[in-house]
Amino acid sequence: MSTSPALAPSVDATARARDLLGVTRLSDSALTSWLHSLPGVDQVGCEARAASLGTRSIKTTSKAWAIDLAISMIDLTTLEGADTPGKVRGLCAKALTPDPTDPATPRPAAVCVYGDLAAVAKKALGSSGVNVAAVATAFPSGRALMPVKLADTEDAVQAGADEIDMVIDRGAFLSGDYLTVFREIAQVAQACVRPEGSRARLKVIMETGELVTYDNVRRASWLSMLAGADFIKTSTGKVSPAATLPVTLVMLEAVRDWRDATGEMVGVKPAGGIRTSKDAVKFLVAVSEVAGDDWLDPYWFRFGASSLLNDLLLQRQKLATGAYSGADYVTDDSPSLY
């Protein structure tokens, strides 16, 4: 696993976009022309390739490595209206000690909570290295005025969030108002900067289940990266379908091509509906085959999940002992799309 690079400073997204698009003024028409010039996605080919990648066989040694890697990539998540400080502290305790019987078990990358509980998570996780990710910008709908979205983000950052998971305005995107989406992402990215100059990493949630087409997923991916996303993320976990392998494949192609075009790496986070070790391994195979092994690192790839960790722990224990543990081997987390 590679060492995480230093977090790049915030950029002037508008100036960079003008340079990349070759225009003197960033406008809706310029963004529309650029985004619609991207190659279209072959739906049949994309789904066939995803199905093929999903059939790859992973042997015992590689499987053990993949399970540990997948655990280290999880954003352990609770995003329910009934969340309490106690529940968040319990989730943090699980992140710190995923398997009390095996201290060698990797820790998840982050704990993901609502912004008003970010301070609770930060205190519980301390200096463990497990990050606090907070959802913001009127998650999950994104239906709020921009000052509210920015305040939501700033509050979470001030509370100690290491990462911000924002949602785009899907209505604006689907109506072709790309400039509004760009500006909102760019402004939220600036709101992630702390007074001393450090910043939280920004994950941009596209809610791919509402984007309808793979072409829209590709365009939203490129628009998000252009505006300053550190990660592009499939879903809130509140809309079905959430993370699918074909959609993630399109996003992996986008970050690969973005690096070819700009030299910059951007992460990918499928979230929602990934519950089993078998599912996680399929996604890891896709990462390696489509984007490349540089993305096989929790700094660049995450799973947004809650129940996935339990299945990975059970599979890990089976590989170690040759037998499945009982249902009480892992904690019973609250059910959700995550």
Side-chain angles (χ1 to χ4, degrees):
M1 190 177 299
S2 65
T3 302
S4 299
L7 187 58
S10 59
V11 300
D12 183 336
T14 301
R16 185 181 66 172
R18 288 198 303 263
D19 290 342
L20 288 174
L21 274 61
V23 298
T24 57
R25 186 177 70 87
L26 192 63
S27 64
D28 244 335
S29 60
L31 284 170
T32 299
S33 176
W34 183 69
L35 291 171
H36 285 258
S37 71
L38 296 171
V41 180
D42 176 355
Q43 178 178 346
V44 174
C46 176
E47 292 174 354
R49 188 179 188 195
S52 174
L53 291 172
T55 64
R56 299 288 176 86
S57 176
I58 305 296
K59 303 304 181 184
T60 303
T61 302
S62 296
K63 186 176 181 180
W65 174 82
I67 286 173
D68 276 6
L69 180 60
I71 291 172
S72 75
M73 290 174 161
I74 290 177
D75 283 1
L76 192 58
T77 301
T78 182
L79 295 170
E80 302 296 331
D83 284 345
T84 64
K87 182 178 179 182
V88 169
R89 283 191 287 268
L91 199 67
C92 292
K94 182 171 182 175
L96 294 173
T97 311
D99 183 353
T101 70
D102 184 358
T105 305
R107 289 171 171 172
V111 171
C112 185
V113 297
Y114 276 108
D116 64 317
L117 291 167
V120 174
K122 190 69 174 178
K123 182 176 180 180
L125 294 170
S127 59
S128 65
V130 179
N131 287 340
V132 175
V135 296
T137 64
F139 178 97
S141 70
R143 308 310 315 173
L145 296 174
M146 198 59 199
V148 175
K149 294 181 180 183
L150 293 176
D152 197 16
T153 303
E154 291 164 357
D155 286 348
V157 173
Q158 290 172 11
D162 303 291
E163 302 166 5
I164 294 294
D165 290 33
M166 70 164 288
V167 288
I168 68 166
D169 184 336
R170 281 88 76 189
F173 180 88
L174 291 170
S175 64
D177 188 359
Y178 301 132
L179 187 58
T180 290
V181 179
F182 174 92
R183 286 174 172 166
E184 289 199 349
I185 296 170
Q187 288 179 67
V188 172
Q190 285 301 310
C192 289
V193 180
R194 302 182 184 91
E196 76 279 8
S198 66
R199 67 181 182 90
R201 294 181 84 195
L202 179 62
K203 306 193 197 90
V204 177
I205 308 170
M206 299 179 292
E207 198 67 285
T208 53
E210 294 182 344
L211 296 187
V212 183
T213 69
Y214 295 135
D215 284 346
N216 276 340
V217 172
R218 174 167 285 172
R219 291 168 188 152
S221 297
W222 280 82
L223 182 61
S224 298
M225 294 186 291
L226 186 70
D230 296 301
F231 261 80
I232 51 176
K233 177 178 172 182
T234 61
S235 324
T236 62
K238 306 298 184 183
V239 171
S240 184
T244 68
L245 198 56
V247 158
T248 305
L249 188 151
V250 172
M251 294 167 61
L252 289 167
E253 289 177 342
V255 297
R256 176 200 65 198
D257 295 345
W258 175 262
R259 184 170 72 168
D260 289 343
T262 68
E264 301 170 1
M265 280 184 73
V266 173
V268 175
K269 179 179 173 180
I274 305 171
R275 298 187 178 90
T276 68
S277 301
K278 185 176 181 180
D279 289 339
V281 168
K282 290 179 182 179
F283 280 85
L284 294 181
V285 169
V287 172
S288 177
E289 293 287 331
V290 178
D293 289 348
D294 285 350
W295 273 268
L296 287 175
D297 187 295
Y299 195 82
W300 298 115
F301 191 81
R302 299 282 182 84
F303 294 104
S306 57
S307 58
L308 173 61
L309 178 57
N310 283 350
D311 193 69
L312 288 166
L313 292 174
L314 290 172
Q315 292 295 330
R316 191 177 191 276
Q317 195 266 352
K318 179 180 183 295
L319 287 176
T321 66
Y324 280 110
S325 297
D328 58 352
Y329 181 76
V330 292
T331 57
D332 182 16
D333 300 313
S334 61
S336 70
L337 278 175
Y338 272 95

